[in-house]
Amino acid sequence: MAKPSGVMELAVLGLLHESPLHGYELRKRLNLLLGSFRAFSYGSLYPCLKGLVATGMIVEDRPDVEAHGAEANRRSKIVYKLTAEGKEHFQDLLANAGPSAWEDENFGVHFAFFGRTDADVRMRILQGRRSRLEERLDAVRAAFTRMRTRLDDYTIELQRHGLESVEREVRWLNELIKSEDDQRK
Amino acid sequence: MAKPSGVMELAVLGLLHESPLHGYELRKRLNLLLGSFRAFSYGSLYPCLKGLVATGMIVEDRPDVEAHGAEANRRSKIVYKLTAEGKEHFQDLLANAGPSAWEDENFGVHFAFFGRTDADVRMRILQGRRSRLEERLDAVRAAFTRMRTRLDDYTIELQRHGLESVEREVRWLNELIKSEDDQRK
DNA sequence: GTTAGCATGTAAGGAGTTACATGATTTT
DNA sequence: AAAATCATGTAACTCCTTACATGCTAAC
C-alpha cells in the first residue's frame, strides 16, 4: 500500500535532499528543475508526498501548529523533510539506476541529480541514453528511406525535423561523455 | 459508450484515409508517421479500433473468411476501412482543431496531416504552437535567471540544453510560418 | 473588504502500458 | 518441424490530469 514510484518519487527526494520544503513550493521547484521537460500537478504531488510519509522516507513538520498551539485540523503549511531512510533510499535509486533511467520520461530527472551521482553511474546513463537514441535513429532512418516516395511534404518535414532533433541530442551526449572522460584523468 | 478520443483516433482515421489497413500494419505506419515523437502499443490500438467500429467511423473487412468460407471465429487479418461518416469526422477534427492541437502530445499528429488541412487552420496551429513554446520559454528563462546561482553545474546544463531545444523549435516554426505566408500570395 | 495568490487536498477518470494469451504464416 | 514474425486480443494496472473543494494571507 501507498508505494510511490515513478519519476516523481526520485525528483521529490532529490529536492528535499537540498532543503525541507512544503508541497506548494516543492511543485514550483519541481517544474523549474525539469524546465521544458515535464510538469506535474498538485493532484499527483500531494498523494505522492503522503505515500513517501507512509513509507518513512520523509516526515511532516507543521511549523504553524507548533509555534502557537493552533488547532491541529486547521489548514497550514506542511514542511516535508527527508529522513535517514529517505536519504539512503535516494542514494540507492541514484546508484542502482537501471535501463529506465535513459528513457525519455526519466533521463532528465536522473541528469538533474548527476551532481550527487557516481561518475561510473553517470557514464552508464549517458551511454545508455545515447545508444537508446541511436537505435531510434536507425529505425526511423530505415523506415524513412523505405517510404520516402510515398510520404507527402509535411510528413517528410516532420520526419526531418524529428531526426535532426534526435541527432542534436546525440551530439550533446557525445560532448558530455567526452568531458566526463577528460575529467576522469 | 466506446467513445475513442485522444490523438490515436485522429492518427488512425488519417492513415485509413490513405488506404484500408489491418491493425498490425496500422501500428507500424503509426509509429513510422510519428517517428521520434511517440509510439503506441497494441494494447491501446485494438480497443481504439473496436471503438471506432462501434461509432461507425470504420468498418471491418475479413478477406480470409470471405475468400474461402473459413470459420468466422478463426483468427485472421481484419482490414479496417473508413466509412463516409469516418471521412467526415476526420475532416471535422482537422477543421475544428482547438488549442489542444498545439500541445506537445498532439502537435505532431496534426502537423502530419497538414496536407489535408486548410491553410488558415494550418496557420492557426503553427502560431498557437509558437506562442505556447514562447510562454514556456519566458517562464523557464525567468525562473532560471532568478535561481541561477543556487543551481549546480548539471542542472544548469540541463536547463541550457532544454532552452536551446525549445528555441530551435521556435525558429523552425518561424520558417514554416514564413513559407506558409509566402505561398498565400 | 475584496481580490489575488498561497496552500492543501480528493474523487473520478483519461490515456495509455505491460504482461499475458492465442493462433496463423513464413522462413530456415 | 522449429523458430521467427505476423496478427489479434484482453485484464490489470500505472501514472497522471482535471475539476472540484476548502481555507489562509497579503496587498490594494
Side-chain angles (χ1 to χ4, degrees), chain A:
Chain A
M1 4 85 185
K3 220 182 203 176
S5 65
V7 218
M8 213 169 161
E9 183 188 4
L10 181 63
V12 166
L13 292 175
L15 281 178
L16 292 182
H17 204 285
E18 286 162 23
S19 68
L21 291 169
H22 59 272
Y24 192 84
E25 179 66 21
L26 193 50
R27 191 222 177 200
K28 285 199 299 184
R29 301 258 184 126
L30 217 49
N31 291 345
L32 161 61
L33 180 74
L34 301 178
S36 28
F37 298 100
R38 41 188 319 175
F40 293 108
S41 62
Y42 298 118
S44 46
L45 175 60
Y46 287 115
C48 173
L49 287 170
K50 293 291 169 196
L52 287 170
V53 169
T55 54
M57 301 294 109
I58 62 180
V59 284
E60 297 186 348
D61 180 24
R62 298 172 182 261
D64 294 0
V65 178
E66 281 159 33
H68 30 70
E71 319 82 69
N73 62 348
R74 192 177 139 220
R75 283 209 182 198
S76 59
K77 274 195 202 177
I78 301 177
V79 175
Y80 292 94
K81 208 174 104 184
L82 262 194
T83 62
E85 287 89 355
K87 283 180 197 175
E88 207 180 323
H89 184 50
F90 177 63
Q91 294 300 339
D92 232 55
L93 289 174
L94 286 190
N96 302 346
S100 76
W102 45 82
E103 292 304 308
D104 291 337
E105 329 82 68
N106 304 321
F107 175 73
V109 178
H110 277 274
F111 189 88
F113 296 123
F114 263 20
R116 274 187 252 285
T117 308
D118 288 340
D120 56 331
V121 177
R122 290 203 302 261
M123 187 56 96
R124 196 156 54 80
I125 293 177
L126 289 173
Q127 287 175 344
R129 177 78 183 149
R130 182 173 57 180
S131 34
R132 184 78 188 70
L133 293 182
E134 274 166 350
E135 275 168 36
R136 191 180 301 174
L137 230 37
D138 288 348
V140 175
R141 277 203 272 248
F144 191 38
T145 341
R146 203 181 329 119
M147 303 280 297
R148 169 164 249 144
T149 53
R150 298 212 273 153
L151 301 176
D152 74 61
D153 289 353
Y154 285 109
T155 309
I156 289 176
E157 180 55 27
L158 184 65
Q159 298 288 325
R160 202 199 51 71
H161 179 249
L163 274 175
E164 213 173 280
S165 300
V166 181
E167 284 162 359
R168 260 193 86 254
E169 190 173 342
V170 170
R171 286 199 296 276
W172 180 64
L173 289 167
N174 283 336
E175 281 167 37
L176 288 168
I177 288 169
K178 187 164 178 303
S179 94
E180 292 270 332
D181 248 344
D182 291 349
Q183 274 170 17
R184 190 123 68 166
K185 292 167 198 162

Side-chain angles (χ1 to χ4, degrees), chain B:
Chain B
M1 19 145 134
K3 221 185 202 175
S5 66
V7 217
M8 213 166 161
E9 182 187 5
L10 181 63
V12 166
L13 293 176
L15 281 179
L16 292 182
H17 205 284
E18 286 162 24
S19 68
L21 291 169
H22 59 273
Y24 192 84
E25 179 66 21
L26 192 50
R27 190 219 178 204
K28 285 199 299 184
R29 301 257 183 128
L30 218 47
N31 292 343
L32 161 61
L33 181 74
L34 301 177
S36 28
F37 296 100
R38 40 187 321 173
F40 293 109
S41 62
Y42 298 117
S44 46
L45 175 60
Y46 287 115
C48 172
L49 287 170
K50 294 290 169 196
L52 287 170
V53 169
T55 55
M57 301 295 110
I58 62 180
V59 284
E60 296 186 350
D61 180 25
R62 297 171 184 261
D64 294 2
V65 178
E66 281 157 33
H68 31 70
E71 318 82 67
N73 61 349
R74 193 175 138 221
R75 282 211 181 198
S76 59
K77 274 196 204 179
I78 301 176
V79 176
Y80 292 95
K81 206 174 107 184
L82 262 194
T83 62
E85 288 89 354
K87 283 179 196 175
E88 207 180 323
H89 184 50
F90 176 63
Q91 294 299 341
D92 231 55
L93 289 175
L94 286 189
N96 302 345
S100 76
W102 45 83
E103 292 304 309
D104 291 337
E105 329 82 65
N106 304 321
F107 174 73
V109 178
H110 277 275
F111 188 87
F113 296 121
F114 263 20
R116 273 187 252 286
T117 309
D118 287 341
D120 56 331
V121 177
R122 290 204 301 262
M123 187 56 97
R124 198 157 52 79
I125 293 177
L126 289 173
Q127 286 175 344
R129 177 77 183 149
R130 182 173 57 179
S131 35
R132 183 79 188 72
L133 292 182
E134 273 167 350
E135 275 169 34
R136 192 181 299 175
L137 231 35
D138 288 347
V140 175
R141 278 204 270 249
F144 191 36
T145 344
R146 203 180 329 118
M147 303 280 297
R148 170 163 249 146
T149 53
R150 299 212 273 154
L151 301 175
D152 74 60
D153 290 355
Y154 285 108
T155 309
I156 289 176
E157 180 56 26
L158 183 66
Q159 298 288 324
R160 201 198 54 69
H161 179 248
L163 275 174
E164 214 173 281
S165 300
V166 181
E167 284 162 359
R168 261 192 85 254
E169 190 173 341
V170 170
R171 286 198 296 276
W172 180 64
L173 289 167
N174 283 335
E175 282 167 36
L176 288 168
I177 288 170
K178 187 164 178 301
S179 96
E180 292 271 333
D181 248 344
D182 291 348
Q183 275 172 18
R184 189 123 68 166
K185 292 168 199 160

